[in-house]
């Protein structure tokens, strides 16, 4: 097998593209590559990539050219990655979006280069041989720049196609909260909105109920109206029937406005004045300290009686 034969086998798996390093590994010299370009049997596809002139140009082959030209480590991201994952509302188009580790300084015509401090294995995979962000990380990253409508369509489609689920997505949001903050409140709102349209409990409520069952606690009633403050009914997340114990689940938020804080205080005060024992737990506690949560509830149930 000649060097060209070996190179052709490599290029066939890359939609006709190959790098200078791959050509040299196959036994070709720089002179032979230059000769191929001058004789118009090869095209320069990038700074260090080539392709046969007989290979048809498509958006996918051009994206492959770009990924090979940029070289590892890099990952397809943004709208380009969404199109490869077949998210609803996205199609493959230029400019292509790539992500590289922070500290790599490069520029390519027809490309938008993003940087990241860290991209652990859980957030990356491959599609058609191209390195790409995982569907879950993709949703997290596009939340900053996508409209609520487009983000909702992408999320619903990804869940429908089995690419992610609310549980994994919310846990990953929580884990990334200190590094990837922009757009996350919007994504959490979209997740909550999607759940409302499906007519079910929120993820936080479902997770609490599942953990409560595993802890051997009685099943609480959910979304119960127990009191009133001013002109508003006080609806609680969970109430253990026959007791005064109420559980409020605090959704994943970084900022709460002054009106929200005031309404929360009024609700808690109304419950206390009506003789209830309101307990509040956060998403972080449910994920990181479930045993402590249910020990607290068990202790409250042991000492509480019906109002």
């Amino acid at each position: 097998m000649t060097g060209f034969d070996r190179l052709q086998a490599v290029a066939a798996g890359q939609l006709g593209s190959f790098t200078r390093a791959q050509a040299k590994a196959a036994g070709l010299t720089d002179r032979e590559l230059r000769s191929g370009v001058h004789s118009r049997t090869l095209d320069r596809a990038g700074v260090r990539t080539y392709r046969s002139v007989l290979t048809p140009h498509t958006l996918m082959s051009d994206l492959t050219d770009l990924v090979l030209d940029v070289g590892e480590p890099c990952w397809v991201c943004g709208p380009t990655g969404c199109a490869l994952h077949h998210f609803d509302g996205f199609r493959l188009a230029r400019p292509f979006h790539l992500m590289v580790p922070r500290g790599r300084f490069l520029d390519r015509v027809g490309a938008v280069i993003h940087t990241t401090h860290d991209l652990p294995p859980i957030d990356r995979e491959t599609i058609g041989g191209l390195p790409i962000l995982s569907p879950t990380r993709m949703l997290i990253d596009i939340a900053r720049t996508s409209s609520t409508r487009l983000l909702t369509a992408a999320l619903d489609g990804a869940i429908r196609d089995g690419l992610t689920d609310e549980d994994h997505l919310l846990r990953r949001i929580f884990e990334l909260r200190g590094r990837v903050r922009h757009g996350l409140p919007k994504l959490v709102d979209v997740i909550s909105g999607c759940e409302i349209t499906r007519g079910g409990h929120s993820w936080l409520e479902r997770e609490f109920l599942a953990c409560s069952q595993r802890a051997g606690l009685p099943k609480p009633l959910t979304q119960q109206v127990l009191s009133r403050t001013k002109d508003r009914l006080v609806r609680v997340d969970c109430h253990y029937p026959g007791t005064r114990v109420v559980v409020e689940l605090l959704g994943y938020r970084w900022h709460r406005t002054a009106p929200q804080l005031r309404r929360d205080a009024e609700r808690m005060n109304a419950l206390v004045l009506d003789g209830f024992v309101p307990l509040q737990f956060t998403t972080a506690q449910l994920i990181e300290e479930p045993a402590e949560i249910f020990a607290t509830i068990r202790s409250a149930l042991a000492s509480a009686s019906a109002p």
Side-chain angles (χ1 to χ4, degrees):
M1 179 181 289
T2 66
F4 279 105
D5 291 332
R6 289 191 293 271
L7 186 57
Q8 186 176 11
V10 171
Q14 301 173 162
L15 301 184
S17 303
F18 60 90
T19 65
R20 181 185 292 111
Q22 290 173 331
K24 288 186 176 182
L28 273 69
T29 64
D30 284 338
R31 181 176 180 179
E32 288 173 310
L33 290 174
R34 288 195 298 270
S35 176
V37 172
H38 291 156
S39 65
R40 297 186 179 179
T41 59
L42 292 178
D43 273 340
R44 287 296 297 267
V47 175
R48 52 185 181 182
T49 52
Y50 302 81
R51 68 168 35 253
S52 168
V53 294
L54 301 178
T55 304
H57 274 281
T58 65
L59 285 172
M60 195 65 187
S61 69
D62 288 349
L63 175 59
T64 303
D65 291 343
L66 175 64
V67 171
L68 288 173
D69 196 54
V70 169
E72 296 181 350
C74 76
W75 303 273
V76 181
C77 69
T80 308
C82 292
L84 294 192
H85 281 305
H86 301 292
F87 284 179
D88 291 357
F90 291 89
R91 61 182 179 83
L92 190 60
R94 294 185 179 84
F96 300 131
H97 291 250
L98 294 184
M99 181 175 288
V100 299
R102 190 152 297 175
R104 284 196 72 185
F105 301 101
L106 52 89
D107 189 22
R108 293 292 188 275
V109 176
V112 179
I113 306 298
H114 306 262
T115 62
T116 181
H117 283 298
D118 181 39
L119 194 68
I122 193 175
D123 288 332
R124 57 182 191 258
E125 57 185 63
T126 60
I127 292 180
L130 297 179
I132 186 172
L133 270 62
S134 70
T136 296
R137 181 60 184 262
M138 197 76 69
L139 287 166
I140 291 172
D141 278 18
I142 66 168
R144 178 177 59 176
T145 56
S146 297
S147 67
T148 298
R149 182 176 181 179
L150 185 58
L151 190 59
T152 300
L155 172 65
D156 275 345
I159 293 174
R160 178 199 64 219
D161 296 338
L163 300 177
T164 190
D165 57 49
E166 296 105 321
D167 183 84
H168 179 60
L169 182 55
L170 283 163
R171 288 178 184 276
R172 199 71 192 106
I173 287 172
F174 173 76
E175 292 164 355
L176 290 170
R177 70 193 187 284
R179 289 172 284 173
V180 184
R181 295 180 64 97
H182 299 293
L184 293 191
K186 184 201 299 184
L187 180 54
V188 172
D189 282 341
V190 167
I191 295 170
S192 300
C194 289
E195 289 168 339
I196 290 171
T197 61
R198 297 185 190 113
H201 298 297
S202 71
W203 173 87
L204 188 55
E205 289 175 346
R206 292 198 305 270
E207 184 68 10
F208 176 82
L209 292 173
C211 290
S212 181
Q213 183 179 26
R214 288 195 295 269
L217 293 177
K219 184 178 180 179
L221 300 175
T222 59
Q223 298 302 315
Q224 298 292 295
V225 175
L226 299 182
S227 185
R228 174 184 288 272
T229 173
K230 296 182 179 177
D231 60 342
R232 293 188 180 91
L233 297 176
V234 176
R235 186 186 305 273
V236 300
D237 292 327
C238 299
H239 171 229
Y240 287 90
T243 78
R244 295 176 292 130
V245 178
V246 167
V247 171
E248 286 284 86
L249 302 168
L250 305 182
Y252 186 67
R253 293 293 181 192
W254 297 275
H255 305 292
R256 296 192 64 80
T257 65
Q260 286 175 319
L261 290 171
R262 185 179 64 251
R263 285 195 297 271
D264 286 347
E266 290 172 350
R267 293 175 74 257
M268 289 300 100
N269 290 341
L271 289 170
V272 170
L273 289 173
D274 284 346
F276 290 98
V277 180
L279 304 175
Q280 292 187 327
F281 303 108
T282 66
T283 302
Q285 287 176 290
L286 187 59
I287 291 175
E288 295 184 328
E289 305 165 347
E292 184 174 328
I293 285 178
F294 295 107
T296 301
I297 295 174
R298 189 174 287 108
S299 176
L301 290 174
S303 59
S305 58

